[in-house]
Structure formats: structure tokens, C-alpha cells
């Protein structure tokens, strides 16, 4: 029986700030692919650019992934067989491979100072030549003492050809190959070097990453070749485009912190669903999927080549669908977060109504003001507002008094029960004549939830008090 190689993917963010949708989507695809094939998923932190590091980023990244339900088998916080998973703690590994490259004649200490390089660059510019380091290699190669940058030596200037699992056959001319820095003068490796060594040591089989790295692949290939490494499978994800169709994302289309979505009361499964479909589609009509279903359906073949447009409307729609799928208790606990001043009993009753009106729970901060505040505050009746069209005051008092008796005598557990004891009367007297003053006396508003629901949710006692108070105001 042939033993299939276990699939290993990784998410390797740099700790340079919060995680936005682009980063999360990369993590999600790598995770879904590993999970689908019973492989391993690694969280590695690429912290070799100390100048760009933002404090707290690692915690933030972990919190974001955890909220979304994306879990890892090895990683910076939990360790694993290839620990450490923080590049700044792996300097020994990079040094080891740097020495191998030096020995093989593939690396040399950069003899130039920054000023000298700037001069060479300027000269090339003046002579209208492309500046390439490989044109300025020193005659004799000194020993590397770690104080100078270490450069990779491109031995063979050639065209590069490679296969990308999404983009297909790709190629780049010899100008894409230049002697690049492996280790900087501060002792830290560059991304170009470090990720190759890490992926090798961690046994990564598939690299899922953004398209900004395509231009550097020829360099990576040269390194793989120099170290006799079989390259992992390269999987380039499509760019995420803003609503304008450009790569510049605004806060509305995904440039925001993923934890803002949590704070605004989005459903994590909805975000996972939305991000999964941002550049991938399993085919078929089914668009609302659980993370489990996404894993089952996930395949690299179905990842799109071209850009995926961030559509906020679609996110809101998906979120609403996922809210509907949540259990009553989960819905309630989310609602409570945004409407803490409402009692449990009332929220339990209002829950279906609330869920129907929102796309994400944070919306309650404004919807609540408009629609639900009336449950907490008894309105002050305004006689002119209570009267429907050209009905008289006296008639309105009569209608309200008759409705009052019906409510008193009838059962008011559900909106339908209330409706069945009021509707026949409203139909004889004219719906507007009866239902308008009833609704306004209950809500104090010209627009609100229907009167039957109001009575059911306010309860008999409170409803009667409000109607009585309206009658009182009309009589005054
Ligand atoms: N550290 C790189 C980044 O933050 C990761 C690229 C990769 O996945 O290889 O974009």
C-alpha cells in the first residue's frame, strides 16, 4: 500500500498589526485544506522585520483565529515537534543553512555600505540601465563574520518556469533573478530566506499565500535548487478587491480589524462562510455553509484565479442567514450584550422579532432606539396623534374602550391570540379607526411593531395601563 505524504500547511503572518480579511482568508484556506485531508496546520509567526513589529499583534492574531474557530496543531503558543514557531527564535537554523550555502559557493558577504549601493544604483539610473547586484559581485569573496549582510549568489541567470496550483504554468525572465539578501546586518534573516528554511524544517507541503509573492518566486526557486529542496506546492490566492474593483480596500470592504466584526456582533461562522467564498466556490447553488461543510467541500481546483470582490451586502446577508441558524439561547445571549437594560423575560419574548430585524447584533444599538425602546418606557399620550384621519375624539374613545374590554376578557399569550380577539371588532368598525389609536396608545409612535405583537409582548397589565392612559388623555 502506498503511503500518502501527510499534508502540512501553515499560516505565517508577520506581527505588524491586526488581522484583516485578507490574512484571515489565507489562514482559512490553508486550514480547510489541511483539515479536509487529515493533515497538519501550523501557526508560525514571521517576526524578522523588527522595525515593523507592533506590540500585541501575536495575541491579537491568536484571538482572531480562535474566535473564528480556526485551530492549529503546532504553533507559536502551543509548541510542537518543530518548535520554536517564532522566527526570531530560529536564528540558529538560518545560520546553519547560510553556512551550507556559503560552503557551496551560493552566498557571499555583501561588501558594500548602504551609501555605496545608493551610488551604484544612481549610476545605473543615469546610464539608463537596470540595477542588478549580480553585476557588482566582488572579485574575491571575504569570510562572513555576521556584521555584513549575506547575499545569495544567483549562479545561473536563466528564465524561471514553475507551476502554481491555481495559476497554472508561470514564467519570468532572467531579470527576475538577482543576488538577494539572505541575512541582514542585524543578524535576522529576510522573509525570502527564512520562510524557505522554516517550510523545509516544518515539512510544509503546500504554501497558500497572497499574490504579492509571485514576483519573488524565481528567487525562491533558485534557493530551493541551491539547497536541493523539492519545492512545496505553490498555491497563489486571488487578490481581494474593494467595491470599486481596485486592490485598495477601505474599512467597508475588509481593511478593518477582524475583531471589530466580533465586537459588532457578527457570527464567526458567517465570516468564515463569507471569506471562504471570497475566491473559492465549490460549485452548485448552496451558499450558506458551516465550517464543517466548507472543509468537506474544499479543494484547490476550485480556487479562483482572478480577483474576488468584497461585497458588504453579501456579508450582511450571509450573517443574517447564520443568525437564523443559531439556537435560541445563543441568539439571546448576543441580544443581551447589546440590549442589557431589557429584562430576560421581555427579551425572550422579543427575540424572534429582534432577530427578524437585524443583519448583525451590533445593529441593535440603533434599531433598539427606534423600535424597542417603547417596551421600556411608557409613552406620554398625545390626543391628536391618537385619532385616525377624520374620526372624532368621542368615537376614538369608544373604540379604545371596547378594545380594552376585549383584551381584558381575551387571552393575550401570543400575537395571534390577541389578533383573533380584536380583529373581528376592527373589521366591523373599520381597521384604521380601531387599530391606529390602539397601536399609537401602546407605542406612542406613528410607526411601530403591529398592535397585536405589542400587546402580547408588553403583557396584559401594561397594555391596559397604556390604553387607559390614552383614553384619559383623550377625555381630558
Ligand atoms: N509573513 C508573510 C506575510 O505576512 C507570509 C507570507 C507567506 O505566507 O509565506 O505576508
Amino acid at each position: 500500500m502506498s503511503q500518502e505524504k501527510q499534508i502540512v500547511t501553515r499560516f505565517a503572518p508577520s506581527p505588524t498589526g491586526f488581522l484583516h480579511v485578507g490574512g484571515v482568508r489565507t489562514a482559512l484556506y490553508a486550514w480547510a485544506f489541511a483539515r479536509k485531508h487529515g493533515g497538519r496546520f501550523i501557526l508560525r509567526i514571521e517576526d524578522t522585520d523588527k522595525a515593523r513589529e507592533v506590540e500585541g499583534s501575536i495575541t491579537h492574531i491568536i484571538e482572531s483565529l480562535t474566535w473564528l474557530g480556526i485551530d492549529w496543531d503546532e504553533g507559536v503558543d502551543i509548541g510542537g515537534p518543530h518548535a520554536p514557531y517564532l522566527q526570531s527564535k530560529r536564528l540558529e537554523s538560518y545560520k546553519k543553512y547560510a553556512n551550507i550555502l556559503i560552503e557551496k559557493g551560493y552566498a557571499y558577504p555583501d561588501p558594500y555600505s548602504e551609501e555605496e549601493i545608493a551610488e551604484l544604483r544612481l549610476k545605473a539610473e543615469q546610464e539608463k540601465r537596470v540595477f542588478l547586484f549580480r553585476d557588482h559581485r566582488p572579485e574575491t569573496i571575504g569570510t562572513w563574520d555576521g556584521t555584513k549582510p549575506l547575499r545569495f549568489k544567483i549562479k545561473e541567470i536563466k528564465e524561471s518556469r514553475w507551476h502554481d496550483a491555481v495559476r497554472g504554468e508561470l514564467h519570468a525572465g532572467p531579470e527576475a533573478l538577482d543576488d538577494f539578501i539572505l541575512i541582514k546586518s542585524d543578524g535576522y534573516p529576510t522573509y525570502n530566506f527564512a520562510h524557505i528554511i522554516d517550510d523545509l524544517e516544518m515539512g510544509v507541503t503546500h504554501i497558500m499565500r497572497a499574490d504579492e509573492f509571485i514576483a519573488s518566486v524565481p528567487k525562491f526557486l533558485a534557493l530551493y535548487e541551491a539547497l536541493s529542496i523539492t519545492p512545496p506546492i505553490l498555491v497563489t490566492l486571488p487578490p481581494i478587491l474593494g467595491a470599486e474593483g481596485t486592490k485598495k480596500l477601505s474599512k467597508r470592504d475588509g481593511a478593518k480589524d477582524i475583531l471589530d466584526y466580533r465586537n459588532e456582533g457578527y457570527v464567526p461562522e458567517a465570516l468564515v462562510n463569507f471569506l471562504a467564498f471570497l475566491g473559492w466556490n465549490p460549485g452548485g447553488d448552496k451558499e450558506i455553509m458551516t465550517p464543517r461543510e466548507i472543509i468537506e467541500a474544499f479543494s484547490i481546483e476550485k480556487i479562483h484565479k482572478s480577483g474576488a470582490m468584497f461585497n458588504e451586502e453579501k456579508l450582511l446577508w450571509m450573517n443574517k442567514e447564520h443568525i437564523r441558524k443559531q439556537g435560541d439561547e445563543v441568539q439571546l445571549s448576543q441580544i443581551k450584550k447589546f440590549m442589557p437594560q431589557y429584562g430576560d423575560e421581555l427579551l425572550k419574548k422579543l427575540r424572534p422579532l429582534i432577530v427578524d430585524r437585524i443583519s448583525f447584533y451590533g445593529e441593535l444599538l440603533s434599531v433598539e432606539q427606534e423600535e424597542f425602546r417603547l417596551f421600556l418606557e411608557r409613552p406620554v399620550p398625545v390626543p391628536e396623534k391618537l385619532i385616525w384621519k377624520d374620526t372624532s375624539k368621542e368615537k376614538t374613545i369608544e373604540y379604545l374602550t371596547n378594545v380594552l374590554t376585549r383584551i381584558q376578557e381575551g387571552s393575550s399569550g401570543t400575537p395571534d391570540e390577541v389578533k383573533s380577539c380584536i380583529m373581528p371588532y376592527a373589521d366591523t368598525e373599520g381597521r384604521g379607526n380601531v387599530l391606529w389609536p390602539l397601536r399609537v396608545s401602546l407605542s406612542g409612535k406613528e410607526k411601530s411593531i403591529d398592535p397585536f405583537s405589542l400587546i402580547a409582548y408588553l403583557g396584559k397589565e401594561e397594555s391596559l395601563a397604556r390604553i387607559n392612559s390614552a383614553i384619559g388623555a383623550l377625555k381630558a
Side-chain angles (χ1 to χ4, degrees):
M1 211 172 81
S2 76
Q3 184 93 47
E4 284 264 330
K5 199 169 149 195
Q6 189 185 38
I7 280 170
V8 180
T9 62
R10 66 355 181 234
F11 178 48
S14 302
T16 50
F18 58 75
L19 217 48
H20 52 78
V21 295
V24 173
R25 189 198 54 177
T26 302
L28 176 62
Y29 284 20
W31 171 77
F33 185 65
R35 290 286 171 264
K36 157 112 188 199
H37 295 282
R40 297 182 74 70
F41 177 59
I42 300 173
L43 175 63
R44 177 173 83 217
I45 301 292
E46 306 204 320
D47 65 334
T48 55
D49 190 348
K50 288 293 163 192
R52 289 181 58 225
E53 202 163 318
V54 175
E55 217 192 296
S57 308
I58 300 180
T59 319
H60 203 98
I61 289 165
I62 291 176
E63 216 178 311
S64 303
L65 296 176
T66 306
W67 176 61
L68 291 163
I70 296 175
D71 59 341
W72 46 99
D73 310 295
E74 304 171 29
V76 67
D77 54 336
I78 53 172
H82 310 291
Y85 294 89
L86 192 64
Q87 284 187 331
S88 59
K89 296 246 163 74
R90 302 177 58 80
L91 301 187
E92 280 311 308
S93 278
Y94 311 129
K95 222 160 144 194
K96 180 178 124 193
Y97 284 94
N99 283 322
I100 294 175
L101 287 169
I102 293 171
E103 261 167 46
K104 288 180 146 187
Y106 272 109
Y108 63 93
D110 186 335
Y112 302 108
S113 66
E114 276 181 34
E115 294 74 36
E116 286 167 328
I117 291 173
E119 241 169 70
L120 290 170
R121 216 181 267 281
L122 187 70
K123 191 151 175 274
E125 217 171 90
Q126 285 163 348
E127 292 168 10
K128 301 204 179 338
R129 282 185 289 112
V130 179
F131 172 76
L132 291 166
F133 277 98
R134 55 176 151 90
D135 295 335
H136 302 278
R137 279 179 201 144
E139 297 272 311
T140 48
I141 288 181
T143 49
W144 182 54
D145 62 3
T147 60
K148 286 277 185 186
L150 186 71
R151 258 184 211 280
F152 182 71
K153 181 177 171 183
I154 299 283
K155 283 200 185 175
E156 204 187 334
I157 314 298
K158 58 177 180 186
E159 196 174 67
S160 309
R161 295 191 168 273
W162 72 99
H163 179 79
D164 184 290
V166 173
R167 306 273 173 118
E169 303 311 314
L170 298 176
H171 62 94
E175 66 286 351
L177 287 173
D178 195 14
D179 292 0
F180 57 94
I181 294 183
L182 299 166
I183 296 190
K184 298 172 280 180
S185 55
D186 64 4
Y188 286 104
T190 55
Y191 163 76
N192 289 348
F193 182 42
H195 87 276
I196 297 227
I197 304 309
D198 292 341
D199 287 343
L200 171 70
E201 295 198 329
M202 296 175 186
V204 170
T205 58
H206 294 70
I207 298 180
M208 317 261 191
R209 71 182 151 206
D211 66 343
E212 68 197 76
F213 295 96
I214 283 197
S216 306
V217 171
K219 291 177 188 151
F220 306 156
L221 296 178
L223 246 178
Y224 288 129
E225 206 175 303
L227 289 168
S228 313
I229 301 170
T230 311
I233 292 168
L234 304 180
V235 187
T236 298
L237 308 186
I240 297 177
L241 308 175
E244 309 286 299
T246 62
K247 263 186 150 184
K248 194 109 195 76
L249 294 185
S250 70
K251 274 216 161 194
R252 267 179 74 83
D253 37 41
K256 73 178 181 189
D257 183 344
I258 212 76
L259 286 183
D260 282 349
Y261 288 103
R262 179 186 65 180
N263 301 339
E264 289 167 17
Y266 279 80
V267 180
E269 289 82 4
L271 225 64
V272 164
N273 192 167
F274 176 73
L275 293 177
F277 275 74
L278 210 55
W280 169 83
N281 196 316
D285 298 332
K286 193 171 158 78
E287 281 205 281
I288 300 300
M289 294 174 90
T290 62
R292 186 62 16 230
E293 289 169 332
I294 289 165
I295 289 171
E296 291 303 320
F298 197 81
S299 75
I300 290 177
E301 291 71 42
K302 295 277 166 71
I303 297 177
H304 302 158
K305 277 196 185 110
S306 54
M309 186 100 82
F310 188 102
N311 179 344
E312 197 190 30
E313 294 296 313
K314 184 162 180 181
L315 170 59
L316 290 172
W317 168 73
M318 279 192 166
N319 201 65
K320 195 171 177 72
E321 293 299 314
H322 280 273
I323 286 181
R324 291 212 177 107
K325 281 164 79 94
Q326 287 178 317
D328 298 2
E329 288 307 314
V330 180
Q331 289 180 346
L332 255 185
S333 74
Q334 283 288 56
I335 292 169
K336 265 189 221 167
K337 274 191 212 157
F338 294 94
M339 294 171 77
Q341 66 278 47
Y342 290 71
D344 280 11
E345 278 313 303
L346 181 56
L347 285 186
K348 254 189 204 155
K349 286 193 201 160
L350 292 179
R351 186 193 51 78
L353 216 60
I354 291 175
V355 161
D356 220 44
R357 273 170 175 64
I358 52 164
S359 297
F360 61 102
Y361 291 102
E363 232 183 317
L364 285 174
L365 294 178
S366 51
V367 171
E368 180 264 336
Q369 299 279 348
E370 290 290 317
E371 304 202 33
F372 299 108
R373 202 37 86 87
L374 65 93
F375 287 97
L376 295 185
E377 293 155 12
R378 191 176 287 180
V380 179
V382 180
E384 307 81 72
K385 281 198 189 164
L386 287 161
I387 299 167
W388 172 248
K389 292 197 173 159
D390 46 12
T391 329
S392 66
K393 198 187 251 192
E394 290 65 35
K395 272 288 182 195
T396 306
I397 294 172
E398 183 191 316
Y399 299 142
L400 284 177
T401 313
N402 285 333
V403 169
L404 195 95
T405 324
R406 282 165 188 271
I407 298 171
Q408 245 160 356
E409 289 165 1
S411 111
S412 63
T414 67
D416 278 345
E417 284 169 4
V418 177
K419 192 174 180 177
S420 67
C421 65
I422 295 176
M423 215 44 178
Y425 176 66
D427 279 335
T428 12
E429 300 290 352
R431 287 190 181 183
N433 291 337
V434 177
L435 299 181
W436 175 269
L438 173 63
R439 200 177 49 69
V440 177
S441 63
L442 294 163
S443 70
K445 293 172 179 235
E446 301 191 358
K447 272 189 189 151
S448 73
I449 300 161
D450 70 273
F452 316 117
S453 303
L454 285 174
I455 293 167
Y457 301 145
L458 282 167
K460 224 181 221 186
E461 198 182 328
E462 179 64 18
S463 303
L464 295 176
R466 290 185 184 196
I467 298 166
N468 262 323
S469 140
I471 295 171
L474 285 165
K475 282 184 178 166

